[in-house]
Amino acid sequence: RVLVDDNRGVAEPIDETETVAPYSPNTRRGGYKSGPGLVVRGTHALTLERPSTAAAIARPLADRLYAAPVLAFAWGRGAPGGEAGGAALMSGGAVGSGAARGGVAAGGVPAGGAVGGVPATDHATGASGAVSLAPASLPAAAAPDSGGALATPLPPNVQLMTLAPRADGTVLLRLTHQFGLGEGGPLSAPVNVDLSTLFRPAALRIKHATEVSLTANQDKASILRRRERALAWPGAESAEPHPWRSAVFNYSVSPLVLLGPMEIKTFVLEV
């Protein structure tokens, strides 16, 4: 907290308190502040690793800390004899790091209780919730499905960043490579992910997939065409891009997605 104006441009002390009165045009120094100062708490994790192996520890650890699964509990009728029993619901959390990789965080029973559902998580925007991609008309006494949504574990350097339903009935998927060039040894190498075998059919059946921009407002093929035209201009950069930057994805030809270091790829799934 700074109790006097440091004359750095905001024309008021940087005094963050729990209560701030509305700003008034007649108040030269801004809103009146009262109450105790704000306290920010966080978790710091310290690892002691050699530079050659530090990224392999720090990046997955950061994901586990930032996007840890959130547990909630609700009463259900799944216990033997029809007695009420507790059922764990899981929502949010990044899929692809540590304990969450290929486990229940990728497809435990989401809020709403639909068996075979998948948590709808968007770490690009920070939004998370629950989406049921399987029929919801199940008996109330149905046992929770703890098999997970992923049919096969993700590669150790890949994270499922976004899995969210869209208004038109499609599903938005983002996959990200967690490591940069040269920072994680083999973990920094490009990697393939097979979309056709990634999810269990009971959780998500992919009929077709189209690669789009990060914001999902245009298809990747049109972006590559414009990039090629731009490179033809005099004075344009002549350096060849990394092969994964110009890789063309066609689900009908091959469901393999090539991810390069620190690359995020976005897909619209028809299910």
Side-chain angles (χ1 to χ4, degrees):
R1 298 176 64 184
V2 179
L3 300 182
V4 295
D5 185 5
D6 58 6
N7 296 313
R8 297 292 183 179
V10 297
E12 63 176 286
I14 309 300
D15 183 17
E16 303 293 344
T17 59
E18 288 187 358
T19 304
V20 179
Y23 281 76
S24 169
N26 300 322
T27 305
R28 180 171 174 269
R29 293 294 182 177
Y32 175 75
K33 299 176 176 61
S34 60
L38 295 184
V39 177
V40 178
R41 294 182 175 88
T43 300
H44 297 268
L46 176 65
T47 65
L48 301 177
E49 295 289 332
R50 296 180 182 274
S52 59
T53 59
I57 301 298
R59 289 199 179 276
L61 177 59
D63 288 324
R64 290 198 297 270
L65 292 175
Y66 172 74
V70 178
L71 289 174
F73 298 89
W75 290 105
R77 291 190 294 170
E83 298 179 0
L89 312 178
M90 183 172 288
S91 176
V95 179
S97 298
R101 189 184 307 280
V104 69
V109 183
V115 175
V118 184
T121 305
D122 190 342
H123 296 293
T125 62
S128 65
V131 53
S132 172
L133 301 177
S137 55
L138 297 171
D145 181 357
S146 59
L150 297 182
T152 56
L154 287 167
N157 50 0
V158 174
Q159 185 182 63
L160 195 160
M161 189 179 195
T162 301
L163 186 64
R166 289 158 52 95
D168 60 0
T170 60
V171 175
L172 188 67
L173 169 70
R174 288 190 184 96
L175 297 173
T176 178
H177 193 300
Q178 292 181 284
F179 293 85
L181 277 170
E183 72 172 8
L187 294 174
S188 293
V191 61
N192 284 310
V193 178
D194 190 340
L195 292 188
S196 66
T197 61
L198 183 59
F199 298 102
R200 292 191 305 117
L204 185 63
R205 289 182 180 272
I206 300 177
K207 299 176 181 177
H208 189 73
T210 302
E211 186 175 0
V212 295
S213 64
L214 183 64
T215 53
N217 64 351
Q218 54 189 312
D219 64 271
K220 181 68 174 289
S222 65
I223 296 175
L224 293 176
R225 287 194 296 269
R226 288 198 300 273
R227 184 183 298 168
E228 186 176 353
R229 291 196 298 268
L231 291 174
W233 279 78
E237 294 184 7
S238 58
E240 288 292 326
H242 295 294
W244 54 84
R245 295 287 295 154
S246 55
V248 177
F249 175 77
N250 187 333
Y251 187 81
S252 300
V253 175
S254 172
L256 292 180
V257 174
L258 176 63
L259 283 169
M262 297 300 291
E263 189 173 35
I264 301 173
K265 289 194 172 181
T266 308
F267 303 88
V268 173
L269 308 180
E270 297 176 20
V271 296

